[in-house]
Amino acid sequence: MDSGERPQLRRGDTPLYAMLLLAWILFSVSLFVLVLRGTWENIRSEFQADAEADIELLRDRLRTNEALLAGFAAFLGAVESPTDAQLADFAERLLADNPHIYSLEVVDKVSAAERSAFERKLAARLGEPVRIGRFDFDDGGRRLPVADKPVYYPIAFMWPDTPRARRVLGLDVDSVPYVRDALQRARRSGAAVSSPPFALTEGALAYVMLRRATGSPPDDAVRAAAAPERLAQLIVKAGSLRPGRSDPRTAHTLYAIGEAGPLQPPLFDMPAVLPTSPHERRLLPQISMDLEDYSASPPIRLSVSRQMRFVDVPVEPLALAAFLACGSLAVLVWHLRRHRAAVAREHENHERASHSALHDPLTGLPNRRLLQDRVGEAAAHWRRSGEGFALFFVDLDRFKEVNDRHGHDAGDVVLSTVAAHMRGSVRETDTVARIAGDEFVVLLPGVMEHAAAVPIAAKLLAAVAQPVELRDGLVLRLTASLGVSVCPGDGDDPEELIRRADAAMYDDKRAGDTGSHGTLLEVRAVARAPRLRVIRKLVRVPGGAVVPGGRKKVARGRS
């Protein structure tokens, strides 16, 4: 096998290599998936614990707001007609301890008959005329008169007492679209009720909490009937519900829940502080969780999410996975190289065995078996295409004398040299085979007549007659006997053609021995008398130089 030729894979090798490569890919992917899964579980556990802590914190804050509203409602119910000073003192102390409360307000129920008295009382307190009204929220909050109706729910008190707050006094809460429903539900239930979130004049979001004022029941029915209906109202800053501590990798969004689901806008929306890359969003998972709480007012839904990032993956397990993947790849490559080397050795041994089975070990020429195969192929080709061929049977004259006089090593040199000369005298597509000790057969496709075989026979005899140099400067020159058979003239059976060529060779040998002339007499242009001659001998003289020696003829007879 040519040293530069790479051995071809066996038929089953490619699927085997593909399966091994696929197994390595699956193994490597499994390692990294295990690492990512472990990281994912740790992050998810931490994320879930943080989310539950956040919802618990929100629940506490909502319950605190409910407790503040309940205390304010109880104060209004306990004191039948609290003065402005009493209300201001209570509200100031409550706001001082709870700065997340935007304002405390008192909402009175005022019938149409009581409207004028309420407006006069409020005007006396403010020092200017005041009428129960509403805000045009589509026109920048401009104060407008309210339409006549049986009952009004104006704001009778508000703290802190600021010029902006005074504009709100007398506002009919029942005329505010986003508070009207909460007002009626608070009146019916007696529990804390919250409105949807809305924007304050400062731009921040807030929501309203209302609760009907409750207290000790009056001593008699007359007093109970005379007791005014009041509602305590808190305006809570939505931003106060933001968690104080927040993972910069986590996004938080808090919604108030209405009858139809989460209300818009959200109470707050806190995106993750740390940015994530498009590759992280494409390749790594995101954790999301929605937690709801209906135990306080308003009912809330906390939506939290966190995008996993590459830096979240710990280095040690990742390095271990990479090491195992690379190590397994190295083992796989080592195994494949060994397997490939074994395949190469097997291929080389097969080629060597095939060559040895079909070629002569001394000359490297095809042997009788391979010759018969090629003659059979040539005969089949003649049957398909009509192109014939010729067989030349060549036998060296008096070759036994070479072995007897100069030894078998010299005979091997003669056979190898003569084989090379004959191989060089024909085309690459022709076949020169050694079928016995000193017998050769030459197959030439395209030669279909004996006349066409004459010049080729002359070339073969001339090739055999070329000098052969042996050891110690000994040079021999040989002759040969030759017979020819052609297809289809002498038949088309391979064995029959070889026998006919062999018989023609023996006819030629006998013709040479008796001096008669056969069919190929004209090819013997050279003298046939000396079938084996020593044509010169080199002699080593003193001093180490080699010079031509005398000529010596050997064996003039024929055999």
Side-chain angles (χ1 to χ4, degrees):
M1 181 178 66
D2 187 358
S3 60
E5 180 185 354
R6 298 179 66 86
Q8 298 295 321
L9 296 179
R10 295 177 302 184
R11 178 174 298 177
D13 287 342
T14 300
L16 173 63
Y17 289 0
M19 290 180 61
L20 289 175
L21 180 61
L22 179 61
W24 175 80
I25 292 175
L26 292 177
F27 173 73
S28 301
V29 170
S30 299
L31 287 176
F32 287 101
V33 167
L34 287 176
V35 172
L36 292 176
R37 183 177 179 85
T39 303
W40 164 264
E41 292 297 335
N42 293 337
I43 293 176
R44 189 166 181 232
S45 299
E46 177 188 354
F47 173 83
Q48 186 172 359
D50 290 344
E52 291 176 351
D54 290 338
I55 196 70
E56 185 65 30
L57 178 62
L58 289 170
R59 187 182 295 116
D60 291 343
R61 289 181 178 178
L62 294 176
R63 288 175 178 173
T64 298
N65 292 340
E66 281 191 341
L68 295 175
L69 181 62
F72 187 30
F75 172 76
L76 294 178
V79 180
E80 184 175 345
S81 298
T83 63
D84 289 346
Q86 290 174 320
L87 290 172
D89 180 65
F90 181 89
E92 187 174 12
R93 284 186 284 109
L94 188 146
L95 290 181
D97 295 334
N98 300 277
H100 65 283
I101 303 299
Y102 180 76
S103 64
L104 274 75
E105 301 171 358
V106 177
V107 178
D108 285 346
K109 178 181 179 182
V110 178
S111 64
E114 299 169 330
R115 175 177 179 175
S116 296
F118 176 83
E119 291 174 345
R120 286 194 301 271
K121 181 179 178 182
L122 192 58
R125 195 172 70 191
L126 296 177
E128 58 183 50
V130 177
R131 291 184 60 80
I132 296 176
R134 63 183 179 85
F135 287 147
D136 185 358
F137 295 98
D138 296 330
D139 192 15
R142 185 165 60 92
R143 183 75 174 258
L144 298 174
V146 69
D148 294 336
K149 56 183 181 177
V151 179
Y152 305 90
Y153 292 91
I155 296 176
F157 173 82
M158 180 175 180
W159 192 266
D161 186 13
T162 63
R164 178 176 293 178
R166 292 189 174 195
R167 289 185 64 245
V168 179
L169 293 175
L171 172 66
D172 182 25
V173 176
D174 191 43
S175 299
V176 180
Y178 50 81
V179 183
R180 181 185 298 117
D181 179 68
L183 172 68
Q184 298 303 326
R185 287 189 290 116
R187 290 184 62 245
R188 291 192 300 268
S189 66
V193 178
S194 299
S195 72
F198 61 92
L200 297 169
T201 55
E202 295 89 341
L205 280 179
Y207 64 94
V208 172
M209 295 183 67
L210 296 108
R211 180 169 180 153
R212 193 176 61 205
T214 57
S216 301
D219 296 335
D220 53 59
V222 176
R223 289 184 60 195
E229 181 180 345
R230 283 183 166 176
L231 292 97
Q233 178 171 292
L234 298 182
I235 298 181
V236 182
K237 301 174 185 177
S240 65
L241 299 177
R242 291 173 178 262
R245 60 169 187 83
S246 174
D247 191 327
R249 300 166 296 180
T250 304
H252 298 74
T253 304
L254 181 66
Y255 299 93
I257 300 178
E259 294 181 356
L263 301 175
Q264 295 292 342
L267 294 170
F268 65 76
D269 186 8
M270 298 171 55
V273 176
L274 296 179
T276 56
S277 68
H279 296 296
E280 291 173 329
R281 292 191 293 272
R282 187 181 304 112
L283 299 176
L284 298 180
Q286 183 186 60
I287 314 172
S288 299
M289 185 178 295
D290 291 331
L291 299 96
E292 296 182 349
D293 183 78
Y294 292 87
S295 65
S297 181
I300 57 172
R301 172 184 290 176
L302 178 63
S303 297
V304 288
S305 63
R306 175 176 167 182
Q307 174 63 53
M308 190 172 174
R309 303 164 68 233
F310 291 129
V311 294
D312 294 332
V313 182
V315 177
E316 293 80 4
L318 191 63
L320 178 60
F323 174 77
L324 292 176
C326 294
S328 61
L329 178 61
V331 172
L332 179 62
V333 170
W334 174 77
H335 171 75
L336 293 180
R337 287 177 65 89
R338 289 195 61 188
H339 183 265
R340 189 68 180 273
V343 170
R345 288 193 300 271
E346 180 181 347
H347 180 79
E348 184 176 354
N349 293 336
H350 175 74
E351 289 293 322
R352 187 181 297 113
S354 299
H355 189 274
S356 299
L358 299 175
H359 291 79
D360 175 50
L362 176 62
T363 62
L365 296 178
N367 59 13
R368 179 183 291 273
R369 179 180 175 185
L370 182 55
L371 173 68
Q372 290 174 339
D373 290 342
R374 292 188 179 179
V375 174
E377 292 174 359
H381 179 70
W382 169 78
R383 295 186 188 96
R384 292 193 305 269
S385 64
E387 181 183 22
F389 59 91
L391 290 178
F392 297 82
F393 203 110
V394 180
D395 180 82
L396 301 183
D397 294 331
R398 306 189 69 171
F399 177 72
K400 182 177 181 300
E401 189 172 335
V402 175
N403 289 330
D404 294 342
R405 288 180 175 272
H406 305 289
H408 288 279
D409 291 342
D412 291 344
V413 172
V414 169
L415 289 174
S416 299
T417 306
V418 169
H421 291 166
M422 293 177 64
R423 176 70 263 182
S425 67
V426 296
R427 301 167 299 186
E428 289 291 331
T429 55
D430 301 333
T431 299
V432 179
R434 181 189 178 203
I435 63 172
D438 59 352
E439 294 178 345
F440 299 86
V441 176
V442 182
L443 167 65
L444 275 80
V447 179
M448 302 175 63
E449 298 178 355
H450 285 275
V454 171
I456 300 171
K459 288 178 61 178
L460 291 173
L461 292 175
V464 172
Q466 292 183 31
V468 178
E469 183 174 350
L470 302 178
R471 64 185 184 279
D472 299 329
L474 181 65
V475 179
L476 302 180
R477 182 174 182 178
L478 290 83
T479 58
S481 299
L482 183 146
V484 180
S485 64
V486 295
C487 174
D490 295 319
D492 59 4
D493 180 68
E495 291 292 339
E496 179 64 22
L497 289 169
I498 294 175
R499 282 196 299 271
R500 291 200 174 205
D502 187 15
M505 181 273 297
Y506 277 106
D507 289 344
D508 181 53
K509 187 180 289 290
R510 285 192 296 271
D513 289 338
T514 61
S516 61
H517 304 287
T519 305
L520 295 177
L521 177 63
E522 62 272 24
V523 305
R524 304 195 179 281
V526 297
R528 290 196 52 169
R531 292 296 184 97
L532 176 65
R533 284 196 307 167
V534 178
I535 60 175
R536 72 176 179 274
K537 187 172 184 179
L538 303 180
V539 180
R540 189 176 301 275
V541 300
V546 178
V547 298
R551 295 170 59 89
K552 179 180 180 181
K553 294 183 179 179
V554 179
R556 285 185 172 275
R558 306 181 190 274
S559 74

